Amino acid sequence: VGGTMSEPSHSDVSSYSEYSSFTNSQQKQKLRCWSKGSENLQQTFCMAFSVDFTVYNFAIADEGGTKWFVQKRFSQFDQLDDELNKKFPDVMINVQRLPPKKFMGSLSPSLIAMRQKALDAYLSAVLSRPILASSDELRDFIEMPLDLRGRESEEQRHNLAAQDALRP
């Protein structure tokens, strides 16, 4: 789910984090992320049964002013955590663990509030580590707009060209 949004206000922000995403050793892109709460939704399958679940909402902005909004289920955070642990085990050992999965009572307000805080801390922690922040897995997860990825690639090519020009 993508879209633009305004800067967070004190009334709608339960937490606010700033962290850096490094594209290479000479360039960094700062991203800001703030929690926008959660929603309980229902999905119906084949008109036979429905499933209730919670999505956690986050707003993300880069330093250039581009803002976007993502909604993620706890299971999607769990999947990201698995992917990052497989690809970057030495880095992930220092990242706060996600709370355990719960199959019963997963819509309780206290569990949702606890998960919201834990997911916000987790997202901040993975984005504060340069190698994780620049990974395709994390960029896909936060649904980084393609034009931002393209802008980074263009800037990287420009930096590499400048470095090549300085070589003897």
Side-chain angles (χ1 to χ4, degrees), residues 100-114:
K101 291 182 186 178
K102 273 210 160 203
F103 297 103
M104 300 301 288
S106 62
L107 296 177
S108 79
S110 61
L111 177 66
I112 291 169
M114 183 271 301

Side-chain angles (χ1 to χ4, degrees), residues 14-15 17 33 35 56 58 74 77-78 80-81 95-101 110-126 141:
S14 60
S15 64
S17 304
C33 175
S35 171
Y56 299 89
F58 292 89
F74 181 82
F77 274 92
D78 192 51
L80 172 68
D81 189 58
V95 172
Q96 172 186 332
R97 307 287 8 123
L98 291 174
K101 291 182 186 178
S110 61
L111 177 66
I112 291 169
M114 183 271 301
R115 278 186 172 177
Q116 183 77 49
K117 288 180 184 176
L119 296 176
D120 189 48
Y122 176 83
L123 191 55
S124 183
V126 295
F141 182 81

Side-chain angles (χ1 to χ4, degrees), residues 26 156-168:
Q26 307 222 326
Q156 284 177 334
R157 286 191 297 274
H158 176 73
N159 288 341
L160 291 174
Q163 289 172 4
D164 284 344
L166 296 174
R167 288 188 187 151

Side-chain angles (χ1 to χ4, degrees), residues 11-132:
S11 62
D12 67 357
V13 178
S14 60
S15 64
Y16 178 85
S17 304
E18 186 171 314
Y19 38 81
S20 298
S21 168
F22 294 84
T23 55
N24 65 33
S25 62
Q26 307 222 326
Q27 170 190 349
K28 73 177 180 178
Q29 177 182 22
K30 290 184 180 179
L31 297 175
R32 294 177 296 150
C33 175
W34 55 97
S35 171
K36 299 290 282 181
S38 61
E39 298 175 50
N40 291 331
L41 302 176
Q42 186 177 74
Q43 185 172 13
T44 303
F45 297 95
C46 302
M47 299 192 322
F49 65 95
S50 63
V51 175
D52 294 323
F53 59 93
T54 302
V55 291
Y56 299 89
N57 304 310
F58 292 89
I60 302 171
D62 76 347
E63 60 188 351
T66 301
K67 300 170 187 79
W68 65 99
F69 176 77
V70 293
Q71 283 189 322
K72 298 294 178 182
R73 294 178 67 167
F74 181 82
S75 61
Q76 291 172 294
F77 274 92
D78 192 51
Q79 181 180 358
L80 172 68
D81 189 58
D82 286 346
E83 291 172 7
L84 293 177
N85 273 297
K86 286 177 187 164
K87 191 169 180 179
F88 306 101
D90 295 340
V91 178
M92 289 299 291
I93 198 156
N94 296 314
V95 172
Q96 172 186 332
R97 307 287 8 123
L98 291 174
K101 291 182 186 178
K102 273 210 160 203
F103 297 103
M104 300 301 288
S106 62
L107 296 177
S108 79
S110 61
L111 177 66
I112 291 169
M114 183 271 301
R115 278 186 172 177
Q116 183 77 49
K117 288 180 184 176
L119 296 176
D120 189 48
Y122 176 83
L123 191 55
S124 183
V126 295
L127 285 165
S128 71
R129 288 160 174 82
I131 194 163
L132 301 177

